[in-house]
Amino acid sequence: MKIRQELLKNIRQVEPYVPGEQPQGRVVKLNTNENPYPPSPEVRKALDALDTDAFRLYPDPASSVLIRALAEQYQVGEDQVFAGVGSDDVLSLCFLTFFNSDKPVLFPDITYSFYKVWAQLYRIPYECPALDEDFRIVKEDYYRENGGVIFPNPNAPTAIYEELDFVEDILAHNRDSIVIVDEAYIDFAGRSAVELVDRYDNLIVTQTFSKSRSMAGMRIGYAIASPALIRCLNDVKYSFNSYTMSRAALECGAAAVRDRAYFEENVRKIRETRMRTQNELQELGFEMTGSDANFLFARHPEYDAGWLFRELKKWGIYVRHWNDERIRQYLRITIGTDEEMDIFFQALRDILNNK
Amino acid sequence: MKIRQELLKNIRQVEPYVPGEQPQGRVVKLNTNENPYPPSPEVRKALDALDTDAFRLYPDPASSVLIRALAEQYQVGEDQVFAGVGSDDVLSLCFLTFFNSDKPVLFPDITYSFYKVWAQLYRIPYECPALDEDFRIVKEDYYRENGGVIFPNPNAPTAIYEELDFVEDILAHNRDSIVIVDEAYIDFAGRSAVELVDRYDNLIVTQTFSKSRSMAGMRIGYAIASPALIRCLNDVKYSFNSYTMSRAALECGAAAVRDRAYFEENVRKIRETRMRTQNELQELGFEMTGSDANFLFARHPEYDAGWLFRELKKWGIYVRHWNDERIRQYLRITIGTDEEMDIFFQALRDILNNK
């Protein structure tokens, strides 16, 4: 059914949606950077303890139970934490709140694809300095006048983490701009910029429950910054949508954060499997850009990545491949369980040997 | 802590947030139109049956389990339903998607307060035709050129429901504009405009789980329209935030919809208590604008509404009062349980007798 032209003219036009691959049957799904391990058992207990009768009431708009757990975990004030429906929700709100300038917002040419989408959606001008030939961010590109800066650390899909002095250089050269460091994958990498928030009043750090905390299905993300910036985020949020986090998300999220030992063990296992994966891939002749996330970004000098992507799919193994110019020879491979990676290695060996 | 002027200049300025009243202790809370009864027991069962291990995976971006239950309930196609994080999320996305015009969007001067907020947020021009002196929508005001129309039916806070021929007149005079009928309170009123979606390709009906389904705490709302319009909503949603509904919200929502008998009994009880409340208030000399929602909008010709509001608060009874010019002599009173309303009546009698 088509929409009449008279109606269509006022409807926002966007790129048509291409649904993600939903493989059926027994497959190895290494294409969306989900955590291969379940969330903390405390999450189940939190669900069991939920008072479903209270579902009739709106949730706490301040998300206090979750904010309190996060503030304790990161040793910051409760007025320094903001929670949202996944870090996409938090980042989108940050764009709306902090990138309210006529000058261009800066982010890398190869990075999380939604930055460009939000900028366009909210009519924010933007420019995308190119990563260097090793796919590293060139910090000096961010020293010019701008309406804000955002980059992931580690960057995606390159899996390259930059040390805190690098982050600090960008912060120091942008005292009058908001700098958002998107740390979706930080727990698999190194030190978080959270320790800089008290020294830089222009810094916002965002993180997510979807990766290291195995909670993609519950949609929880958060930002840590100065109390003044968190206040701005809350003001904008409360002004147009007060209740976003469900009672279930708040309680499950808080329970997951409190189980620090489980979280650390979970991350440790993934890092170990990542190291194994890295070694195996190197032995097979692959080159990788970095190894600081729960995925690897790998190319083989002799084999076309699109071809490898399709061959792996025949084995029921799903990795991620983009057709964008600079990265079309790369595959992004999520780190699964050791068993999943063994199947992946075996398939790769078979594919390469039988070429 | 204040924000430096250099940083502040690019930060979005909004009306400062005034936190809602969070009364402590034993109170009667008749101020936020929540349902006084718990959700269906099926919701608890759905939570118990949730596979928490699967929380590690992103939720179904198409919200299929919930969409299917809603399509069955309303006897429409699954491609005619869209789900979001409360009807605020759905309505906000509708503004972004469908009100993409330079002509003003039209909605009543006295209505749901967030329409104005979203219009401002997305820089959509708008005009607000005044309700007539009986607080009714004047349908002819919506027959002029516009960039879209939105109104609640029943309207809030007036609790006045307009019959479907009234809605249809507005639809027929706006063939080339999108008309959103916000039916947050429809289950307490009369026939839904859902039965018109197959005849009007410019109609979108939105509803919520927060009122008649006792699920404000889980944040679920939805829209029903032609497949073509639902496709537009999905295109915009997928383009900037694919995963909004958590696994818990999807399963609990579907379970609640399927328990139709519970829902109908719940609504019946509230309508009965509403009738009692109406009679009691009339006996005490109050006048009401309408009685088609889970709240009443009442004034007393002899007593100042602000004074009544404060007196009730001394009794631990919270109702809603606005200082806006046209409605400052009114109180909005949510229908609670019979026991809660008895406490309310007793307090009112005491306040009026001792004046």
Side-chain angles (χ1 to χ4, degrees):
Chain A
M1 192 165 86
K2 281 192 66 174
I3 296 180
R4 284 180 293 118
Q5 192 51 44
E6 297 74 27
L7 266 185
L8 194 62
K9 66 180 187 305
N10 292 338
I11 298 180
R12 180 178 290 265
Q13 300 304 309
V14 295
E15 295 280 311
Y17 169 58
V18 182
E21 291 183 287
Q22 297 289 359
Q24 301 295 320
R26 194 178 155 280
V27 297
V28 177
K29 200 168 169 296
L30 307 177
N31 64 345
T32 50
N33 293 348
E34 285 147 332
N35 197 307
Y37 303 109
S40 157
E42 295 300 317
V43 171
R44 177 73 256 175
K45 289 188 204 159
L47 269 191
D48 292 341
L50 264 182
D51 174 11
T52 32
D53 284 3
F55 282 10
R56 70 180 188 84
L57 300 169
Y58 282 99
D60 170 17
S63 301
S64 309
V65 63
L66 177 61
I67 296 290
R68 204 173 303 129
L70 286 166
E72 202 162 302
Q73 163 80 17
Y74 292 100
Q75 296 290 300
V76 295
E78 289 179 30
D79 55 359
Q80 293 187 270
V81 187
F82 175 88
V85 182
S87 64
D88 282 350
D89 178 44
V90 175
L91 286 167
S92 166
L93 195 69
C94 283
F95 270 64
L96 204 52
T97 306
F98 299 115
F99 292 165
N100 206 26
S101 165
D102 294 327
K103 294 175 210 151
V105 165
L106 305 179
F107 48 83
D109 65 336
I110 294 169
T111 194
Y112 187 42
S113 60
F114 271 12
Y115 299 161
K116 194 178 287 187
V117 172
W118 294 318
Q120 289 167 351
L121 186 72
Y122 302 131
R123 298 175 195 175
I124 300 165
Y126 64 92
E127 286 173 15
C128 299
L131 298 183
D132 72 13
E133 55 203 11
D134 297 326
F135 286 128
R136 299 194 87 96
I137 293 172
V138 181
K139 63 185 178 185
E140 291 78 9
D141 288 345
Y142 298 83
Y143 293 177
R144 56 191 159 104
E145 210 181 27
N146 61 64
V149 171
I150 180 167
F151 60 93
N153 194 33
N155 194 11
T158 63
I160 297 173
Y161 168 75
E162 299 293 351
E163 297 293 339
L164 279 195
D165 55 354
F166 178 102
V167 174
E168 205 168 343
D169 281 344
I170 292 181
L171 285 165
H173 282 87
N174 284 283
R175 296 307 305 233
D176 298 342
S177 288
I178 298 291
V179 177
I180 301 175
V181 184
D182 174 355
E183 294 190 337
Y185 300 100
I186 191 70
D187 297 319
F188 306 108
R191 278 161 67 195
S192 162
V194 166
E195 61 181 272
L196 301 177
V197 292
D198 287 336
R199 278 196 286 136
Y200 290 91
D201 64 358
N202 55 328
L203 168 63
I204 296 171
V205 180
T206 61
Q207 298 193 5
T208 176
F209 279 58
S210 300
K211 312 299 177 186
S212 53
R213 294 187 194 280
S214 306
M215 298 267 279
M218 281 303 272
R219 318 307 307 125
I220 310 174
Y222 53 102
I224 297 178
S226 72
L229 294 187
I230 293 298
R231 173 84 195 186
C232 293
L233 267 181
N234 272 318
D235 281 349
V236 173
K237 179 200 147 180
Y238 286 132
S239 78
F240 74 93
N241 190 357
S242 319
Y243 306 103
T244 58
M245 307 289 292
S246 75
R247 287 172 176 267
L250 293 176
E251 293 296 339
C252 290
V257 174
R258 283 189 220 111
D259 193 353
R260 191 162 176 158
Y262 181 90
F263 160 75
E264 284 171 357
E265 171 63 11
N266 192 327
V267 168
R268 190 195 58 74
K269 282 192 291 189
I270 291 168
R271 289 171 84 138
E272 256 182 41
T273 308
R274 180 180 69 196
M275 190 168 294
R276 261 192 71 213
T277 307
Q278 226 181 325
N279 293 338
E280 290 274 358
L281 287 172
Q282 271 163 353
E283 266 179 43
L284 290 168
F286 283 88
E287 297 164 358
M288 279 152 281
T289 50
S291 60
D292 303 314
N294 69 336
F295 58 85
L296 293 167
F297 201 49
R299 67 184 285 271
H300 198 293
E302 292 159 50
Y303 302 104
D304 179 71
W307 175 78
L308 280 170
F309 171 76
R310 290 185 298 275
E311 288 298 310
L312 283 165
K313 208 190 283 189
K314 292 179 192 165
W315 281 71
I317 296 168
Y318 288 74
V319 297
R320 193 76 186 266
H321 177 246
W322 288 272
N323 253 323
D324 300 354
E325 196 197 333
R326 285 194 72 183
I327 58 174
R328 72 160 56 102
Q329 282 312 325
Y330 283 84
L331 298 176
R332 193 193 67 185
I333 302 148
T334 303
I335 304 300
T337 60
D338 279 315
E339 295 68 32
E340 287 173 320
M341 299 323 285
D342 285 338
I343 298 171
F344 170 68
F345 303 145
Q346 196 189 328
L348 260 190
R349 273 187 228 107
D350 193 272
I351 291 165
L352 298 185
N353 288 336
N354 293 311
K355 170 68 184 176
Chain B
M1 191 166 85
K2 281 192 67 174
I3 296 180
R4 284 181 294 120
Q5 191 51 44
E6 296 75 25
L7 265 183
L8 193 63
K9 65 180 189 306
N10 291 339
I11 298 180
R12 181 179 288 265
Q13 299 306 308
V14 296
E15 295 281 311
Y17 168 58
V18 184
E21 291 182 287
Q22 297 290 359
Q24 301 297 319
R26 194 178 154 279
V27 297
V28 177
K29 200 167 169 298
L30 307 176
N31 63 345
T32 50
N33 294 347
E34 285 146 332
N35 196 308
Y37 303 109
S40 156
E42 295 301 317
V43 171
R44 177 74 256 173
K45 289 186 204 159
L47 269 191
D48 292 342
L50 265 181
D51 173 12
T52 33
D53 283 3
F55 282 10
R56 70 179 188 85
L57 300 169
Y58 282 99
D60 171 17
S63 301
S64 310
V65 63
L66 177 61
I67 297 290
R68 204 172 302 129
L70 286 166
E72 201 162 302
Q73 163 80 20
Y74 292 100
Q75 296 290 300
V76 295
E78 289 180 31
D79 55 358
Q80 293 187 271
V81 188
F82 175 88
V85 183
S87 63
D88 281 350
D89 179 44
V90 175
L91 287 166
S92 166
L93 196 69
C94 283
F95 269 64
L96 205 52
T97 306
F98 298 115
F99 293 165
N100 206 24
S101 164
D102 294 327
K103 294 175 209 152
V105 165
L106 304 178
F107 48 84
D109 64 337
I110 294 168
T111 194
Y112 187 41
S113 60
F114 271 12
Y115 299 160
K116 194 178 288 187
V117 172
W118 293 318
Q120 289 168 352
L121 186 72
Y122 301 131
R123 297 174 196 176
I124 300 166
Y126 63 93
E127 286 172 15
C128 299
L131 299 182
D132 72 13
E133 55 202 12
D134 296 325
F135 287 127
R136 298 195 89 97
I137 293 172
V138 180
K139 64 184 177 187
E140 291 79 8
D141 288 345
Y142 298 82
Y143 293 176
R144 57 192 158 103
E145 209 180 27
N146 61 64
V149 171
I150 180 167
F151 61 93
N153 194 32
N155 193 11
T158 63
I160 296 173
Y161 169 75
E162 299 293 353
E163 298 293 339
L164 278 195
D165 56 355
F166 178 102
V167 175
E168 206 169 343
D169 282 344
I170 292 180
L171 284 164
H173 281 86
N174 285 283
R175 296 306 305 231
D176 297 341
S177 288
I178 299 291
V179 177
I180 302 174
V181 184
D182 173 357
E183 294 191 336
Y185 300 100
I186 191 70
D187 298 318
F188 307 109
R191 277 161 65 196
S192 163
V194 165
E195 62 180 271
L196 301 177
V197 292
D198 287 336
R199 278 195 285 136
Y200 291 91
D201 65 358
N202 55 329
L203 169 62
I204 296 170
V205 180
T206 62
Q207 298 193 5
T208 176
F209 279 57
S210 300
K211 312 299 179 188
S212 54
R213 294 188 194 278
S214 307
M215 297 267 278
M218 281 304 271
R219 318 307 307 124
I220 309 173
Y222 52 103
I224 297 178
S226 72
L229 294 187
I230 293 298
R231 174 85 195 184
C232 293
L233 268 182
N234 272 318
D235 281 348
V236 173
K237 179 200 147 181
Y238 286 131
S239 78
F240 74 95
N241 190 356
S242 318
Y243 306 104
T244 58
M245 307 288 293
S246 75
R247 286 170 176 268
L250 293 175
E251 293 297 339
C252 290
V257 174
R258 284 189 220 111
D259 193 353
R260 190 163 177 157
Y262 181 91
F263 160 76
E264 284 171 358
E265 171 63 10
N266 192 326
V267 167
R268 191 195 58 72
K269 282 192 291 188
I270 291 168
R271 290 172 85 139
E272 255 182 43
T273 309
R274 179 179 71 195
M275 190 167 294
R276 260 192 73 212
T277 307
Q278 225 180 327
N279 292 338
E280 290 274 357
L281 286 173
Q282 270 163 355
E283 266 179 43
L284 290 168
F286 282 88
E287 297 165 357
M288 277 152 282
T289 50
S291 59
D292 303 313
N294 69 337
F295 58 86
L296 294 166
F297 201 50
R299 66 183 286 271
H300 199 293
E302 294 159 50
Y303 302 104
D304 179 70
W307 174 77
L308 280 170
F309 171 76
R310 290 185 298 274
E311 288 297 310
L312 283 166
K313 208 189 284 190
K314 291 180 192 164
W315 281 71
I317 297 168
Y318 288 74
V319 297
R320 192 78 185 267
H321 176 247
W322 288 273
N323 253 322
D324 299 354
E325 196 196 332
R326 284 192 73 182
I327 58 174
R328 71 160 56 103
Q329 282 313 325
Y330 282 84
L331 298 176
R332 193 193 68 185
I333 302 148
T334 303
I335 304 300
T337 61
D338 279 315
E339 295 68 33
E340 287 174 319
M341 299 323 284
D342 285 339
I343 297 171
F344 170 67
F345 303 144
Q346 197 189 329
L348 260 190
R349 275 187 226 107
D350 192 272
I351 291 165
L352 298 183
N353 288 337
N354 293 311
K355 170 70 184 176

